[in-house]
Amino acid sequence: MTKQEQFLWAVQTLVLTNSINVTSHPSFDESKRHIVSFTGVSNAVRAALAASEKIPESLTPFEAALEFCGWMLENLRDDSKTMPGWIYGC
């Protein structure tokens, strides 16, 4: 598997797991439905495909997937941080 393929596999797994976690939580906030909606997930997929071509050499595919999902998935985002530069424009 290439670094790009490993990244995409990891992102896919993390997005699916996050969707299950978000919707199965007893206090699921319906205003956050966009995180797991078709549109929300398709935007993350589009961005992941673009980002997969920009992974810094210094990151493993897993580290890159964690950075990517930590920014792209609103419920995981730390608002005190800025978008990793390699994700910008994806």
Side-chain angles (χ1 to χ4, degrees):
M1 237 186 204
T2 67
K3 186 174 186 174
Q4 185 177 16
E5 291 168 332
Q6 290 174 31
F7 168 79
L8 290 170
W9 176 82
V11 168
Q12 172 183 301
T13 303
L14 294 169
V15 167
L16 291 172
T17 303
N18 186 62
S19 295
I20 293 166
N21 187 47
V22 166
T23 57
S24 64
H25 198 278
S27 62
F28 176 62
D29 179 356
E30 282 294 329
S31 71
K32 301 293 184 186
R33 174 73 55 193
H34 62 281
I35 295 170
V36 297
S37 71
F38 175 82
T39 302
V41 171
S42 64
N43 284 337
V45 168
R46 178 198 48 75
L49 290 168
S52 72
E53 298 177 4
K54 299 168 61 175
I55 301 168
E57 286 297 319
S58 61
L59 295 178
T60 67
F62 180 69
E63 291 167 336
L66 288 178
E67 266 194 20
F68 176 84
C69 289
W71 182 259
M72 291 302 296
L73 302 176
E74 180 183 319
N75 66 303
L76 302 178
R77 188 178 307 144
D78 180 347
D79 290 331
S80 69
K81 295 186 178 181
T82 58
M83 178 190 298
W86 67 275
I87 297 173
Y88 185 77
C90 293

